[in-house]
Amino acid sequence: MAFSLDAINETDAAKAAALERRAIAKYEQTLALDSTHGMVRAAMGHSYYLLDDYKNAVQWFEASNRIDTASVAAYRELGICKIALNRTEEGWNDLQTAFRLDSLSGTGRAAETKRITADDLYNMGCKAFAYGETYAVQGEAAKATGFKEFGLNILFLAYGIESSRKDIAAGIAERAGKLGDTARQQKYRKLAR
């Protein structure tokens, strides 16, 4: 776990990724020694999540959830990973499970979990939209449109989690306008005020 914790404080992305990979190797060693270890699967999922390796993250979060069905963090990050893999409905359901578990836990952190999740989805949606803009510059119109629409749909999910967020509404309005969707642009512009 020390490598993963060190990666959190690392500002160099390549160094942070190397520390996450070292953490994964340590988690694999832990599993080899103790296949019943309760937290290691979620920790591996988290490391893969931080590496944007969503396919492997999903595998490890699902394994973790089979063992510990009440892990808010594992369900939250599992949901985000599935959304990144365009398994939106499954991901949304996992996020709802995380929010339900969090509200039942009595920790008082449910609002914070929703805020963090909305932030993560907002960033992911903006990133996907930016990929679309890059594809447009490269002349790959179909890919450009696909990524832009995917990014916009992720922004809608973020807004669905925190509908009071004017920054998310403004981000939707801006990107809807770039896609020529004036109805949504106007709607979300009003919501951003």
Side-chain angles (χ1 to χ4, degrees):
M1 186 87 85
F3 295 122
S4 188
L5 293 175
D6 289 342
I8 291 170
N9 297 318
E10 185 56 60
T11 56
D12 180 313
K15 287 181 182 177
L19 288 168
E20 288 300 340
R21 287 187 195 89
R22 287 176 67 192
I24 289 168
K26 288 294 183 186
Y27 300 144
E28 288 170 343
Q29 289 175 359
T30 301
L31 276 178
L33 295 171
D34 179 6
S35 64
T36 64
H37 194 287
M39 298 292 292
V40 74
R41 288 167 184 80
M44 284 182 68
H46 180 71
S47 286
Y48 281 117
Y49 166 77
L50 293 176
L51 291 169
D52 294 338
D53 184 346
Y54 301 120
K55 186 176 178 181
N56 276 315
V58 165
Q59 171 191 337
W60 287 105
F61 284 131
E62 286 179 339
S64 173
N65 288 343
R66 282 191 295 273
I67 295 167
D68 178 10
T69 59
S71 174
V72 172
Y75 273 105
R76 189 188 87 77
E77 289 183 358
L78 173 62
I80 291 171
C81 290
K82 285 181 179 177
I83 290 167
L85 294 169
N86 204 18
R87 293 168 55 187
T88 307
E89 187 175 336
E90 290 175 62
W92 184 256
N93 290 337
D94 289 325
L95 291 177
Q96 297 310 307
T97 299
F99 300 151
R100 186 179 68 255
L101 290 170
D102 207 11
S103 67
L104 295 173
S105 72
T107 63
R109 295 179 44 127
E112 179 184 7
T113 298
K114 285 186 175 187
R115 181 190 54 77
I116 291 167
T117 303
D119 286 345
D120 287 348
L121 289 174
Y122 181 79
N123 292 334
M124 181 186 293
C126 290
K127 187 176 181 180
F129 200 94
Y131 285 153
E133 290 178 324
T134 299
Y135 283 122
V137 169
Q138 295 171 350
E140 296 187 56
K143 273 189 179 179
T145 300
F147 271 93
K148 288 178 183 180
E149 288 176 353
F150 179 62
L152 188 60
N153 287 331
I154 294 172
L155 294 179
F156 289 135
L157 294 175
Y159 191 76
I161 292 168
E162 287 216 316
S163 60
S164 64
R165 296 274 302 269
K166 294 183 183 303
D167 60 321
I168 297 174
I172 291 171
E174 175 189 343
R175 286 159 184 85
K178 288 181 179 182
L179 280 172
D181 187 341
T182 55
R184 285 187 171 156
Q185 180 186 31
Q186 290 173 1
K187 174 184 176 180
Y188 284 93
R189 224 183 240 160
K190 287 179 186 175
L191 292 169
R193 291 186 198 140

